[in-house]
Amino acid sequence: MDITLGSALLLSLALLGGCASQESDEALAQAAASFQSVKENTNVLRSAPKDVIRAGESLARADRLSSYWGSDEDVLHYAYLSQRYSEIATQHSELNLNHERAAKLDLERERLQLALREAKLLSVQQLGSQIDEQTINLAASETDRGLVMTLGDVLFDAGRADLNSSANRTLLKLVQFLQINPRRTVRIEGYSDSRGDPKENLELSRARAQAVADMLVDLGIDAKRIAVQGYGEAHPLAENASKQGRAQNRRVEILFSDDKGRLAPSR
């Protein structure tokens, strides 16, 4: 009876030992497969070399323990460590790749922004050329004082300094021209005909010039780039005897500086 009981106990221990040995063998095989995977992955080797080394060291220790007289717990322990180091190395590599991808995306985004700015600059330069031509064609002429753009009396209500709605399109083109040519400055000069009181004409001519300047500032032009001068009935373009002549004399002239910001002297 004792012999039978002892035989049964030995058989049970042998079966338990077989089960434990099978579990450790499977863990060892999984750890070996994981280590082989990370060892052959150049991205993992580059990103997490220390974790790959630890995975290999733990796997070698688990393998030695399974080949000699080592407990299954020790084999499972080191196989687990090897497996985890391989997983950590893989995760580390994925994080690095994600960071690299993010960095590449940032670079691509920056390149795109630069390309858009370059394209915008090119279009602005082309627009500037077009506006320059439009400005010259719009009652502007080259004089001994420089380029002068003339705004007629039709932009104002009779006897008033308030700009009417017909001035908006003209002034918008002027603003665009000044935005594209940031080094240019202007002097806005107001003139009147000879009818009425000379002092009042002088005040009205300056008020009209100032109204144009105020509109330019409201539209974003730096006030430091604008000078204002009123001349009243001085410097007429035509005889004041006729209605047409007086209409020509009631005007606002915009004198443009050169591309270095230098304006011709005041009259």
Side-chain angles (χ1 to χ4, degrees):
M1 186 71 177
D2 292 338
I3 295 173
T4 304
L5 181 59
S7 299
L9 182 59
L10 289 173
L11 179 60
S12 299
L13 290 172
L15 290 172
L16 287 172
C19 291
S21 178
Q22 183 179 355
E23 183 183 1
S24 62
D25 287 346
E26 290 176 356
L28 193 60
Q30 290 176 358
S34 296
F35 175 67
Q36 188 68 24
S37 176
V38 297
K39 185 177 68 172
E40 294 176 352
N41 191 319
T42 56
N43 288 327
V44 176
L45 286 175
R46 177 170 57 86
S47 302
K50 292 182 179 180
D51 292 322
V52 175
I53 290 172
R54 292 191 182 106
E57 291 174 345
S58 298
L59 178 63
R61 184 168 294 182
D63 188 53
R64 285 196 302 272
L65 289 169
S66 69
S67 300
Y68 300 102
W69 190 255
S71 68
D72 287 331
E73 288 80 3
D74 289 340
V75 174
L76 289 170
H77 173 72
Y78 285 105
Y80 169 80
L81 289 179
S82 177
Q83 180 81 24
R84 283 299 298 141
Y85 277 128
S86 295
E87 291 172 353
I88 290 170
T90 301
Q91 291 169 359
H92 194 169
S93 173
E94 290 175 352
L95 284 174
N96 279 359
L97 285 176
N98 288 335
H99 290 158
E100 289 176 2
R101 293 190 193 103
K104 288 180 180 178
L105 286 175
D106 288 339
L107 287 175
E108 287 301 320
R109 189 180 298 110
E110 187 176 355
R111 290 192 189 100
L112 179 59
Q113 289 172 345
L114 288 173
L116 288 173
R117 289 178 63 183
E118 187 176 0
K120 183 179 180 180
L121 178 61
L122 180 61
S123 65
V124 166
Q125 288 172 341
Q126 292 171 344
L127 179 62
S129 177
Q130 295 171 4
I131 293 173
D132 198 3
E133 292 177 3
Q134 292 171 358
T135 304
I136 292 172
N137 292 332
L138 185 64
S141 59
E142 193 70 41
T143 69
D144 56 353
R145 299 195 299 149
L147 184 66
V148 176
M149 176 179 176
T150 301
L151 305 180
D153 185 52
V154 293
L155 301 184
F156 298 91
D157 293 328
R160 298 183 61 84
D162 301 322
L163 284 161
N164 58 40
S165 58
S166 64
N168 293 344
R169 186 175 179 181
T170 300
L171 293 181
L172 183 59
K173 291 178 181 179
L174 178 57
V175 168
Q176 290 174 320
F177 177 80
L178 292 174
Q179 287 175 335
I180 293 164
N181 298 275
R183 299 188 64 180
R184 286 184 182 262
T185 61
V186 292
R187 182 164 60 246
I188 304 174
E189 302 172 342
Y191 299 89
S192 71
D193 60 29
S194 62
R195 292 189 306 173
D197 180 71
K199 184 177 179 181
E200 292 180 357
N201 287 339
L202 181 63
E203 291 176 355
L204 179 61
S205 69
R206 194 185 188 288
R208 285 184 168 183
Q210 188 63 53
V212 174
D214 291 343
M215 181 63 74
L216 295 183
V217 172
D218 289 343
L219 293 173
I221 302 302
D222 189 344
K224 294 179 181 178
R225 299 173 62 191
I226 305 170
V228 175
Q229 181 73 52
Y231 287 105
E233 58 193 61
H235 311 291
L237 293 178
E239 294 292 334
N240 283 294
S242 68
K243 183 177 180 180
Q244 290 182 342
R246 290 192 297 272
Q248 283 183 270
N249 293 333
R250 295 190 301 269
R251 69 196 187 278
V252 171
E253 292 184 353
I254 299 174
L255 177 66
F256 294 91
S257 73
D258 59 20
D259 56 7
K260 294 182 180 179
R262 294 175 300 199
L263 276 167
S266 299
R267 285 179 158 177

